[in-house]
Amino acid sequence: MTFSLATWNINSVRLREALVSRLMTEELPDVLCLQECKSPVEKIPFDTFKALGYEYMVARGQKGYNGVAILSKIPMEETDSQDFATLGHARHIAGKLENGVTVHNFYVPAGGDEPDREKNEKFGQKLDYLTEMRDHFHAQKPEKAILVGDLNIAPREDDVWDHKKLLKIVSHTPIEVEHLAQVQDAANWVDITRQDIPEGLLYSWWSYRAKDWDAADKGRRLDHIWATPDISNAAHSSRVLRAARGWEQPSDHAPVFATFDL
């Protein structure tokens, strides 16, 4: 069975319902993972997406903030939802596809503006969230699993527009990169995007603050697709749909894709 998967921080699923529908219609991912839905689950426009062939959804939502959803053409049932760091936020949902693959969808806290947990509570929450992710995957080693989402960290030097300038900027600080590496090591997760695209600058997020985001190209790769080693070799065709960042009323993130032959 071959299926394609996409992950996208949509920055309000109701505001950008038309963009989600466009992605579904033009790109046809079999599984679409959304973050920052900013909607209670019952107000996600599921009927619209169901009419486009996405008959299955698992989700966690809250009014105005956070929120994660997995929409699938493939039969899927909910298997897990964790509240890491006990924040009471809708930041994780997991669903198991009929082929036995479990998909984890995460929205890791952004961490505020100051990379100092003593001065910035949100940064401490981000580090604690990542620590609990690490401990969870140490305790329950996943198999036949995919982890996707807005992890809010660009780990590699070529995942940001200027490594030296961003070393003290939240999302690329050494302590965040180390915490993310520990999450990855906990289950030997394979970074599928970089397995397919091992070299070169690669971004999935461009700030709204840039007057011309495309020309300035000051991006970061904050959105990720990982897989457990038992299925990582089945992955291919990774890409970032950069064009979606230029759609009308866009999210500041672009969708990231991969295909799995399983």
Side-chain angles (χ1 to χ4, degrees):
M1 174 182 174
T2 296
F3 68 96
S4 58
L5 177 146
T7 178
W8 195 8
N9 177 318
I10 193 58
N11 192 13
S12 179
V13 68
R14 286 187 284 169
L15 181 64
R16 297 187 169 82
E17 176 183 348
L19 297 191
V20 176
S21 297
R22 178 176 174 179
L23 188 87
M24 290 173 163
T25 303
E26 294 182 2
E27 302 296 332
L28 305 171
D30 295 299
V31 179
L32 176 58
C33 300
L34 300 175
Q35 304 87 37
E36 209 170 353
C37 295
K38 296 182 177 179
S39 173
V41 172
E42 65 272 15
K43 292 189 176 181
I44 294 173
F46 178 52
D47 287 346
T48 298
F49 306 144
K50 189 174 183 180
L52 294 173
Y54 294 81
E55 298 185 21
Y56 305 90
M57 180 179 77
V58 296
R60 286 291 181 274
Q62 61 188 95
K63 184 179 179 180
Y65 298 94
N66 309 315
V68 285
I70 305 174
L71 295 148
S72 179
K73 295 180 177 181
I74 305 166
M76 172 184 62
E77 59 182 27
E78 182 180 322
T79 57
D80 194 14
S81 178
Q82 296 289 329
D83 179 21
F84 294 125
T86 321
L87 298 175
H89 296 173
R91 293 187 176 273
H92 171 250
I93 190 71
K96 191 171 187 177
L97 305 175
E98 67 174 357
N99 61 4
V101 173
T102 298
V103 179
H104 292 271
N105 183 17
F106 278 97
Y107 177 44
V108 171
D113 295 325
E114 180 74 25
D116 183 334
R117 68 180 305 147
E118 301 303 321
K119 298 177 182 177
N120 173 18
E121 181 184 23
K122 290 182 177 180
F123 193 72
Q125 291 174 346
K126 181 177 192 175
L127 298 181
D128 292 345
Y129 193 97
L130 291 161
T131 296
E132 293 194 18
M133 281 179 70
R134 176 200 70 190
D135 293 346
H136 175 77
F137 288 121
H138 263 307
Q140 301 180 32
K141 291 282 188 184
E143 296 179 348
K144 206 173 182 184
I146 299 169
L147 185 157
V148 309
D150 178 3
L151 305 186
N152 261 312
I153 297 171
R156 294 178 22 155
E157 291 188 17
D158 52 1
D159 288 339
V160 295
W161 66 275
D162 191 313
H163 167 62
K164 290 183 179 179
K165 287 182 179 178
L166 269 68
L167 278 172
K168 295 183 179 179
I169 302 298
V170 173
S171 78
H172 192 61
T173 65
I175 190 170
E176 292 170 272
V177 171
E178 175 58 28
H179 274 65
L180 188 67
Q182 290 177 9
V183 175
Q184 191 172 357
D185 290 346
N188 297 314
W189 293 105
V190 176
D191 182 344
I192 296 303
T193 309
R194 282 305 192 179
Q195 177 177 266
D196 277 353
I197 311 169
E199 303 295 336
L201 296 172
L202 190 65
Y203 315 136
S204 64
W205 173 90
W206 295 262
S207 175
Y208 284 133
R209 296 174 185 173
K211 289 183 179 179
D212 188 339
W213 69 272
D214 194 27
D217 204 23
K218 293 183 176 181
R220 307 176 202 174
R221 186 174 72 101
L222 303 180
D223 305 271
H224 300 265
I225 298 177
W226 296 354
T228 46
D230 53 350
I231 63 170
S232 60
N233 287 340
H236 59 89
S237 304
S238 295
R239 60 192 172 98
V240 177
L241 187 65
R242 181 185 175 111
R245 178 62 178 83
W247 292 353
E248 187 173 353
Q249 283 195 303
S251 169
D252 46 358
H253 292 253
V256 180
F257 287 78
T259 298
F260 290 82
D261 296 333
L262 289 168

